[in-house]
Amino acid sequence: MYGRMNIKRTTFKMSASMKQLSNIINRKIFSSLKIDTVRGFSVTSTTQKPKSQRSRNLGGKKNTRGKSYGIKKNDGCFVHKGEIIVNQCGLRFYPGENVEADRTNRLVALADGTVMVTCEKLDPYPESPLYGPVQNGLTIHKKFFHIIPVPLKAKFKLVSET
């Protein structure tokens, strides 16, 4: 539980300034210690951090939910602006027209409209690790998610003021 030590105190004559200095030092050193007096001896114990009570059969893992990765809105579905189309780890699917990839690589709709999924030849940026192999002649086809916006209908007729 807690470690205990027995310390015997001895007294000797000190000047007044030495006593003040000794009291200051003892306050700083023994401020974190608990001191009990038992039969003329002072028993000093230090507080220790208790061990955490955790099951050993988990192997350091906790029970966590799945991340729910996958396609949320498929080809032909209507989506509103800001809806998540694909939740993914890494860039498995690529953003197309009116779709953006946020910092966690989720594909999010930038406009209201219908989802369209296409398989296109990848044309990576020069900073991409796929840029070199594509320049050497490798063709990579990936799925792109596009949003076809809803055409705006005229709600009002223009009428001349005269």
Side-chain angles (χ1 to χ4, degrees), residues 73-79 113-117 145-146 148:
K73 302 290 182 179
N74 218 329
D75 199 8
C77 292
F78 182 81
V79 292
T114 309
V115 177
M116 185 175 83
V117 182
F145 280 78
H146 305 280
I148 308 301

Side-chain angles (χ1 to χ4, degrees), residues 97-109:
E97 293 295 319
N98 296 317
V99 178
E100 74 169 348
D102 65 0
R103 62 184 179 87
T104 58
N105 290 323
R106 290 187 306 186
L107 300 185
V108 180

Side-chain angles (χ1 to χ4, degrees), residues 23-135:
N23 287 337
I24 292 171
I25 291 172
N26 285 339
R27 271 189 236 129
K28 288 183 180 176
I29 293 174
F30 296 109
S31 63
S32 66
L33 301 177
K34 295 179 180 177
I35 300 175
D36 300 325
T37 306
V38 178
R39 295 184 190 169
F41 293 100
S42 65
V43 179
T44 308
S45 65
T46 59
T47 58
Q48 296 177 349
K49 185 177 179 182
K51 292 182 180 179
S52 64
Q53 301 296 323
R54 190 157 177 227
S55 176
R56 292 179 185 246
N57 62 354
L58 294 177
K61 297 180 182 177
K62 295 181 180 178
N63 294 333
T64 56
R65 285 183 60 211
K67 302 295 184 230
S68 301
Y69 291 135
I71 298 172
K72 305 301 177 197
K73 302 290 182 179
N74 218 329
D75 199 8
C77 292
F78 182 81
V79 292
H80 292 284
K81 179 180 178 181
E83 280 191 41
I84 297 171
I85 303 168
V86 177
N87 193 7
Q88 60 186 346
C89 185
L91 269 179
R92 183 175 175 193
F93 304 106
Y94 283 77
E97 293 295 319
N98 296 317
V99 178
E100 74 169 348
D102 65 0
R103 62 184 179 87
T104 58
N105 290 323
R106 290 187 306 186
L107 300 185
V108 180
L110 293 178
D112 295 347
T114 309
V115 177
M116 185 175 83
V117 182
T118 60
C119 186
E120 300 175 13
K121 182 180 174 184
L122 187 65
D123 186 21
Y125 290 115
E127 300 87 34
S128 172
L130 297 174
Y131 184 74
V134 168
Q135 291 298 317

